[in-house]
Amino acid sequence: MTNTKSILIYLTKAPMANSANQEAVDLALAAASFEQEVSLLFEGDASFQLIPNQTPESVGRKNLPKAFKAFPIYGIQDLYLLGNTEESLKAKIHAEHKNIIEVANNELNSLFEKFDTVIRF
Amino acid sequence: MKLVILITGSPYSSQAPYSALQYCKAAIAAGHEIYRVFLYQDGIQLSNRLATPPQDEINIFNEWTDFIEANSIDAVTCIAAAARRGVIDQNEAERHNKDSYNIHSAFELSGLGQLVEANIQADRLITFGA
């Protein structure tokens, strides 16, 4: 048995609506610090948090986009963006996150198959 | 199979704890092992021992704690998620100078590492969300 598993954290909720994204990122960082291979997938409204220059503090929330910057230090592997995101939003996201990987809707199952565990938030 | 059950949906506001309980009972009946139940996000509310639903309704809190105790299930409540939402144990109450604590003794307050470790040990992690 291996002590390292690949985990896909699958984000589906809008950034400021509840604490789902914050607690998902807490789990991603905790898993990465236990040497797990962690990647994140952003779907639909969750992709809004990838846009630059946000001020979540103004609505009483932690600045998660800042935490995203720490991902490489934690060894978090890949960021995936589900391809049905609106084009203008996608362009902004690609400008901010150069290495984000776009996944088409019909590639979702094969993406899931690459991981030992998928946890949806 | 060794299973880890992650509950992220709150009792009553969501069906997650009830569905998870049905799933766990079926899994045990089929010969599988529940390695750990982990409560995260609003799912932590399930470990609040002060919840008292009306008597003509299902008491999902008692159903779960009875099941945990009868089957010696390892049940863990995420400490950060729970403390934020006002579910704490005696240690946390003393540490934060609170006059009371409210976690049920069937659950242990611990960190996300318990979920990560369970995921390493288990064959499958099943999430029950809102």
Side-chain angles (χ1 to χ4, degrees):
Chain A
M1 192 188 59
T2 166
N3 283 332
T4 299
K5 282 195 172 173
S6 55
I7 303 171
L8 181 67
I9 307 282
Y10 179 9
L11 305 172
T12 65
K13 300 283 200 300
M16 276 41 129
N18 55 35
S19 60
N21 290 296
Q22 186 188 334
E23 292 187 309
V25 168
D26 285 348
L27 175 58
L29 297 177
S33 66
F34 281 86
E35 319 259 294
Q36 306 301 293
E37 292 169 5
V38 181
S39 296
L40 283 89
L41 167 65
F42 295 83
E43 182 200 283
D45 285 350
S47 53
F48 281 108
Q49 62 201 306
L50 296 169
I51 305 172
N53 304 323
Q54 299 191 46
T55 53
E57 298 90 344
S58 61
V59 289
R61 296 225 167 250
K62 265 175 94 167
N63 196 325
L64 275 189
K66 264 188 199 160
F68 295 165
K69 294 212 165 70
F71 281 172
I73 301 164
Y74 280 84
I76 287 183
Q77 312 265 312
D78 293 315
L79 300 185
Y80 295 96
L81 178 65
L82 201 62
N84 61 356
T85 308
E86 196 191 320
E87 288 302 323
S88 58
L89 179 56
K90 257 198 250 182
K92 287 194 185 86
I93 292 170
H94 281 297
E96 176 75 2
H97 302 274
K98 300 267 187 286
N99 298 321
I100 201 160
I101 302 161
E102 237 178 272
V103 185
N105 279 17
N106 61 8
E107 293 169 337
L108 205 50
N109 280 350
S110 48
L111 178 68
F112 289 165
E113 279 168 14
K114 286 185 193 165
F115 292 88
D116 297 315
T117 309
V118 178
I119 305 177
R120 192 174 187 273
F121 285 86
Chain B
M1 243 184 218
K2 264 191 210 174
L3 304 169
V4 48
I5 307 297
L6 171 63
I7 302 177
T8 61
S10 148
Y12 296 108
S13 302
S14 87
Q15 191 64 9
Y18 193 84
S19 301
L21 182 60
Q22 302 303 102
Y23 180 90
C24 287
K25 285 178 176 172
I28 287 177
H32 300 294
E33 179 197 342
I34 308 295
Y35 182 80
R36 183 167 293 145
V37 173
F38 192 89
L39 307 185
Y40 195 39
Q41 296 191 268
D42 291 344
I44 64 89
Q45 301 290 1
L46 186 63
S47 57
N48 186 342
R49 69 181 163 88
L50 299 182
T52 34
Q55 293 204 339
D56 61 345
E57 287 178 18
I58 285 172
N59 188 324
I60 186 66
F61 301 91
N62 290 353
E63 299 244 340
W64 254 111
T65 50
D66 289 350
F67 172 76
I68 287 167
E69 282 158 4
N71 294 282
S72 306
I73 304 272
D74 182 15
V76 176
T77 299
C78 174
I79 187 165
R84 267 185 198 121
R85 293 169 174 85
V87 174
I88 54 172
D89 63 6
Q90 196 168 1
N91 281 342
E92 288 302 289
E94 284 165 13
R95 201 158 72 89
H96 297 287
N97 249 335
K98 302 281 182 178
D99 59 10
S100 191
Y101 64 98
N102 57 347
I103 194 167
H104 193 284
S105 59
F107 297 91
E108 186 201 345
L109 214 51
S110 192
L112 281 168
Q114 295 286 322
L115 176 61
V116 178
E117 189 267 342
N119 185 54
I120 292 168
Q121 303 296 334
D123 298 303
R124 293 277 189 282
L125 180 148
I126 319 285
T127 307
F128 291 85

